[in-house]
Amino acid sequence: MTTHEHSQPGISMADKIAQIDRICGEARILPVITIAREEDILPLADALAAGGLKTLEITLRSEHGLKAIRMLREQRPELCIGAGTVLDRAMLKAVEAAGAQFIVTPGCTQDILEAGVESALPLLPGISSASEIMMGYALGYRRFKLFPAEISGGVAAIKAFGGPFGEVRFCPTGGVNESNLKSYMSQPNVMCVGGTWMFNSEWVKNRDWARIQACSAEALALLD
């Protein structure tokens, strides 16, 4: 299969790489959100957005994921809503139907990579090795999520991947927090980071939206 063989008409891999660059460039920090309670969907998104984090990855790790994507796309159209923890074609189709604007996977299989080529939405595949990068590279992918970032080598791995994969850029996720955020973002091949530290699960449980807003703003301020 060639890179563009199954692409949607008019939406090349180059177009989708440009979309990922714009989404990640504007986000800088991508909150990776698993919704535990349906009533938290809007106030959590509002708190993060008030702190400056307006691009959100809603995972399918809970039963509320698809509903959260649909609700946010309908009721918060000013936000950019992606779908995370997409594991197979069926989940990819479901998040497309829910209105997701981009798709993130925790790892990659040949099938999910090919589904991403076929999709009209940009896909950010998860990788943790050079071999997985090469699988995606062969299909035209140049943007990846390094996951789980810290236990997959962290900043040192990002630097090492920069040698053989000069065109590739990463969104490290997994173990990224306020203490290592700047180290990751200072790497020329890092376009944004994903994380959860700015909305601690206890704060969400206790509906401490003001604290989440403040922590989001503090996280972004570290990058200024």
Side-chain angles (χ1 to χ4, degrees):
M1 185 182 77
T2 64
T3 299
H4 306 296
E5 189 177 316
H6 296 302
S7 289
Q8 295 282 329
I11 305 175
S12 67
M13 287 297 282
D15 291 334
K16 289 187 274 193
I17 290 167
Q19 289 176 24
I20 287 285
D21 284 346
R22 177 183 54 76
I23 290 165
C24 292
E26 291 175 2
R28 299 199 290 169
I29 298 172
L30 183 62
V32 181
I33 302 165
T34 302
I35 297 291
R37 300 179 302 207
E38 189 178 318
E39 62 265 30
D40 294 337
I41 295 168
L42 292 177
L44 174 56
D46 289 343
L48 292 165
L53 300 177
K54 298 181 180 181
T55 302
L56 312 178
E57 177 189 329
I58 308 295
T59 77
L60 301 191
R61 296 182 193 184
S62 83
E63 61 185 315
H64 306 296
L66 287 172
K67 178 155 193 174
I69 293 166
R70 282 194 298 268
M71 184 183 290
L72 290 168
R73 291 290 287 125
E74 290 166 6
Q75 299 187 37
R76 297 295 185 270
E78 70 279 9
L79 302 181
C80 181
I81 305 300
T85 322
V86 174
L87 304 180
D88 55 34
R89 279 180 183 263
M91 293 170 87
L92 187 145
K93 293 295 182 190
V95 300
E96 284 179 331
Q101 289 159 287
F102 62 97
I103 300 169
V104 186
T105 68
C108 60
T109 62
Q110 190 70 22
D111 192 52
I112 199 75
L113 290 171
E114 289 178 1
V117 172
E118 296 161 19
S119 175
L121 297 179
L123 172 69
L124 192 65
I127 60 90
S128 61
S129 71
S131 297
E132 290 167 320
I133 295 173
M134 289 175 69
M135 278 176 62
Y137 198 96
L139 292 177
Y141 290 92
R142 298 293 183 270
R143 305 293 181 260
F144 298 91
K145 174 173 96 165
L146 176 64
F147 178 81
E150 275 293 283
I151 63 172
S152 299
V155 171
I158 296 263
K159 288 179 177 176
F161 287 144
F165 304 113
E167 291 180 72
V168 169
R169 299 181 73 205
F170 299 95
C171 170
T173 304
V176 181
N177 54 47
E178 65 272 23
S179 66
N180 57 23
L181 168 65
K182 289 179 80 169
S183 298
Y184 277 107
M185 286 296 287
S186 67
Q187 303 308 311
N189 55 347
V190 168
M191 51 189 177
C192 68
V193 300
T196 60
W197 77 91
M198 72 296 291
F199 59 101
N200 180 292
S201 59
E202 283 299 307
W203 306 346
V204 177
K205 185 179 176 182
N206 298 327
R207 300 181 170 87
D208 194 350
W209 311 125
R211 187 167 186 181
I212 292 169
Q213 177 182 337
C215 195
S216 300
E218 287 164 11
L220 281 173
L222 289 172
L223 301 179
D224 292 334

